Amino acid sequence: MATAPPSAAGAASLADAPFVRMWRGFLTGRVMVAVVLLVLQGVGQAMNQTSQSTVLLACGIYLLATLLLRVLASDTPPARGVGPQWLTSIGIDLAAIATLQLLQAGSMNYTPLLGLPILMAAVLGTLTLALGTTAAVSLLLLGWAWWLGYSGAGDDASRYLQSALTGTGYFVVTYLVHQLATRLVREQQVAQQSQIAARVQTQVSALVIQNLTDGVLVVDENDVVRLANPAGLQLLGKAPLPELPFALASEPAWQPLVLLARRTFRREEPQTADADLLHPGQSPMGLHVRTWLTATRDVAGQTQTERLCVMFLHDLREMEARLRTEKLAAMGRMSAAVAHEIRNPLAAIVQANALLEEDLTDPAQKRLAHMVQQNADRLARIAEEVLDIARVQHQISHAPASTVPLDETVAQIWQDWQGQEPDRRRAAVTLEAPAAQVEFDSEHLRRVLVNLLDNALRYMGNEPDSLRLTTRLLPTGQVHLQVWSDGAPMDKSVERHLFEPFFSSESRSSGLGLYICRELCHRHGATITYQRLGRTTTRGEIGGNAFTVAFRRTTRPSESATLFDTFVV
């Protein structure tokens, strides 16, 4: 994924950071040179029992000047170009070294210290400043040679030749040091910009993985899960969710994943397999698993890195349902068109049958007319449900994004649904997400919940807690809505096709209810799943059918759930 380059302000700060560090380093070096000069002069005069107060005074003044500059100007370096701002550093160095050279006694030579201002100018300044500083040093060397000749000491020609050679060497060193310093600063800027880009890339990748609907697990060679996104932890099917890191082999149901990870490490190539996670008391969780290695054994040995297995988990039921839905999409469109064309002749049949029934007196013939009416009504209802799919998709595609308070909306839907048959429609309703806001249209949520409640009512028992309606806020921040009933277990052949359009275990049903529920959930970023779960009731542990809607996490802040509203009707 491409990232934008750093801003101008960021680039400027990156460019100044190395310059400021080197500036402080040179200021500290000047202080150390001044301290050494003062100490050596004091020790030398003490050993020789001589007194040169002017030399000590010059060293002391130089030390004081370097200390003041180190304290006052360490955070405000001068501009790199030529200007008077360099007089407080390079100018003072040249003046101090020249003064010490003039005041020196005996064979003491301070000219090697002229390399310090030259290096400072070459590293921190422009090439013009560096060459200018070197030229000033060369003039000082020539001036010193003239001064010695004027004093009548030694051979003038050799002194001038030595000064010229030293100045030439300084010029060569200045140019080379400046080029190296410029290159190092440029590479450091590039490295820092690359580091920022890598950090941004890491943050973006972590955010993408965190919000993937597919599960991601990162497993090491000891079967320990180092990293996992919330979807991956959910697909593992264990409650409560494990805390990272955890051993993948600690749960018997995860053994297929352990074996697949070990096979990936052993063969050092990507693996693909379907696995069933069998947790006690739950329906099998079918997963389609793909694995990759971060590095082979040879590459990991050369780069001194650890080999990790990255596992991508996909819910097999969702994959199969998606494939079936795609295959049935064309047939669904054709069915909608056929249903639309059926409505007109069907209306004519109903009307003609009604007119015919008015003239019938024979009970047998009236019974036949009534059968025609019933089947015509059934056909009209099926055609309306088929057409309803297109209406729902149109409504969703044109509906604005909205959020609703989950518990409040669920409570209102429950009261409306239960009020139609209070004696029969009884349930234990537990709302545990009072502050949760979910991204869903309220009318669409009503349609999903009413459909699930109607299905549960058809197969549940007659006990007060045979039906349970719950909402729950998970520690991960995800919100669940669940409808559980103590109906008989579904046949595996039925369970595999629950959310397919036109599939029903009853001959009088169109098989579109759960399909529409799934479409509504997917359009709002939610998921709906089925599991066979056990629940503790007044009759003991009872198995039942649970339909769970997992809502997409909203960006709105919400308080932690502290109020629990539980009631039995």
Side-chain angles (χ1 to χ4, degrees):
M1 182 179 297
T3 56
S7 62
S13 63
L14 290 176
D16 291 340
F19 180 75
V20 172
R21 288 196 296 269
M22 289 186 291
W23 167 253
R24 292 173 180 172
F26 273 108
L27 292 183
T28 303
R30 294 171 70 247
V31 173
M32 295 176 63
V33 169
V35 170
V36 170
L37 284 175
L38 185 61
V39 171
L40 290 179
Q41 286 294 334
V43 172
Q45 293 184 24
M47 293 179 62
N48 296 327
Q49 296 181 354
T50 59
S51 176
Q52 293 180 327
S53 57
T54 53
V55 175
L56 290 176
L57 179 61
C59 292
I61 294 175
Y62 181 53
L63 176 60
L64 180 62
T66 57
L67 284 173
L68 287 176
L69 190 62
R70 178 65 179 84
V71 173
L72 300 178
S74 61
D75 294 328
T76 56
R80 292 190 177 93
V82 178
Q85 67 272 11
W86 288 99
L87 292 177
T88 56
S89 54
I90 295 177
I92 289 178
D93 289 343
L94 295 178
I97 296 171
T99 301
L100 290 174
Q101 187 67 29
L102 288 173
L103 296 176
Q104 65 95 12
S107 59
M108 182 71 71
N109 188 2
Y110 294 96
T111 55
L113 294 179
L114 293 172
L116 179 62
I118 290 176
L119 289 177
M120 179 181 289
V123 173
L124 299 180
T126 61
L127 183 60
T128 302
L129 177 63
L131 294 177
T133 304
T134 307
V137 170
S138 299
L139 290 176
L140 287 176
L141 291 175
L142 292 173
W144 176 246
W146 173 84
W147 174 256
L148 291 179
Y150 178 78
S151 302
D155 185 10
D156 292 343
S158 62
R159 285 196 299 272
Y160 281 113
L161 180 60
Q162 182 65 39
S163 299
L165 289 175
T166 305
T168 303
Y170 278 152
F171 273 106
V172 174
V173 171
T174 298
Y175 181 78
L176 293 178
V177 169
H178 179 76
Q179 293 299 318
L180 290 174
T182 303
R183 182 181 180 87
L184 288 175
V185 170
R186 189 186 308 117
E187 291 184 353
Q188 185 173 9
Q189 292 173 1
V190 172
Q192 289 179 336
Q193 292 175 355
S194 300
Q195 185 179 12
I196 291 177
R199 188 179 299 115
V200 172
Q201 185 70 40
T202 301
Q203 294 173 349
V204 171
S205 299
L207 185 62
V208 170
I209 293 175
Q210 192 75 4
N211 292 276
L212 274 179
T213 56
D214 296 331
V216 179
L217 303 179
V218 180
V219 186
D220 62 17
E221 295 188 77
N222 297 320
D223 303 328
V224 175
V225 177
R226 300 285 189 82
L227 297 173
N229 65 341
L233 296 177
Q234 289 286 343
L235 290 175
L236 290 178
K238 182 180 179 181
L241 298 179
E243 296 184 1
L244 296 172
F246 61 90
L248 197 60
S250 62
E251 197 68 31
W254 299 336
Q255 193 63 26
L257 301 180
V258 175
L259 296 177
L260 190 59
R262 292 175 181 175
R263 187 193 312 163
T264 305
F265 283 115
R266 184 173 63 255
R267 298 184 179 179
E268 294 191 341
E269 59 184 18
Q271 302 292 317
T272 302
D274 293 338
D276 290 329
L277 307 187
L278 302 175
H279 291 279
Q282 298 184 12
S283 300
M285 173 67 74
L287 299 179
H288 179 72
V289 187
R290 293 178 297 165
T291 64
W292 283 273
L293 274 184
T294 56
T296 62
R297 184 178 290 102
D298 295 336
V299 173
Q302 294 173 2
T303 58
Q304 299 296 316
T305 56
E306 185 180 9
R307 293 196 306 163
L308 296 173
C309 175
V310 181
M311 309 182 73
F312 288 86
L313 311 180
H314 308 270
D315 192 337
L316 204 55
R317 290 178 298 184
E318 289 190 5
M319 293 181 62
E320 293 175 350
R322 191 179 303 118
L323 290 174
R324 289 192 297 268
T325 302
E326 292 174 357
K327 292 179 181 179
L328 292 172
M331 187 178 68
R333 289 191 294 268
M334 182 188 67
S335 301
V338 172
H340 182 75
E341 295 299 327
I342 287 177
R343 293 173 65 188
N344 292 331
L346 191 60
I349 292 174
V350 171
Q351 185 177 8
N353 183 69
L355 293 175
L356 180 62
E357 190 176 9
E358 293 178 358
D359 297 331
L360 296 178
T361 57
D362 185 19
Q365 294 178 347
K366 282 184 170 291
R367 188 163 52 252
L368 292 174
H370 182 65
M371 291 175 60
V372 171
Q373 180 66 38
Q374 284 182 328
N375 285 277
D377 291 341
R378 181 187 172 196
L379 285 175
R381 186 170 59 254
I382 293 176
E384 191 68 22
E385 289 179 349
V386 171
L387 291 173
D388 201 29
I389 298 177
R391 296 195 192 102
V392 168
Q393 292 176 349
H394 177 78
Q395 291 171 3
I396 296 174
S397 61
H398 292 80
S402 61
T403 59
V404 295
L406 181 62
D407 281 7
E408 180 181 340
T409 306
V410 169
Q412 183 62 48
I413 296 172
W414 158 254
Q415 291 174 5
D416 295 342
W417 182 81
Q418 190 264 346
Q420 299 175 14
E421 294 182 86
D423 296 336
R424 184 185 176 201
R425 300 183 177 185
R426 298 178 298 171
V429 181
T430 305
L431 307 180
E432 298 181 354
Q437 299 277 338
V438 296
E439 297 183 9
F440 222 97
D441 181 79
S442 58
E443 290 303 317
H444 295 161
L445 181 59
R446 174 183 295 274
R447 184 159 193 165
V448 171
L449 183 53
V450 168
N451 192 293
L452 296 179
L453 291 173
D454 285 342
N455 287 346
L457 182 65
R458 191 177 301 127
Y459 302 106
M460 73 178 197
N462 298 321
E463 301 297 329
D465 54 1
S466 292
L467 175 62
R468 287 191 176 186
L469 173 62
T470 59
T471 61
R472 184 175 52 167
L473 178 62
L474 301 180
T476 58
Q478 194 171 42
V479 183
H480 283 186
L481 166 65
Q482 186 176 91
V483 176
W484 178 91
S485 63
D486 59 355
M490 291 187 186
D491 188 83
K492 293 300 180 183
S493 60
V494 175
E495 182 179 343
R496 283 196 299 268
H497 306 286
L498 268 180
F499 298 99
E500 289 184 7
F502 309 110
F503 175 83
S504 176
S505 59
E506 296 184 356
S507 60
R508 292 184 175 274
S509 174
S510 63
L512 294 174
L514 289 177
Y515 170 73
I516 293 177
C517 289
R518 190 192 66 176
E519 287 296 302
L520 288 169
C521 290
H522 285 188
R523 297 282 178 151
H524 290 287
T527 59
I528 181 170
T529 57
Y530 164 79
Q531 282 183 309
R532 181 72 182 176
L533 297 178
R535 289 288 181 266
T536 303
T537 66
T538 55
R539 296 158 287 159
E541 187 73 15
I542 301 296
N545 302 312
F547 288 87
T548 305
V549 178
F551 296 95
R552 179 170 55 190
R553 287 185 295 177
T554 181
T555 55
R556 293 187 180 184
S558 59
E559 301 176 358
S560 59
T562 56
L563 300 178
F564 298 90
D565 183 12
T566 304
F567 55 92
V568 177
V569 182

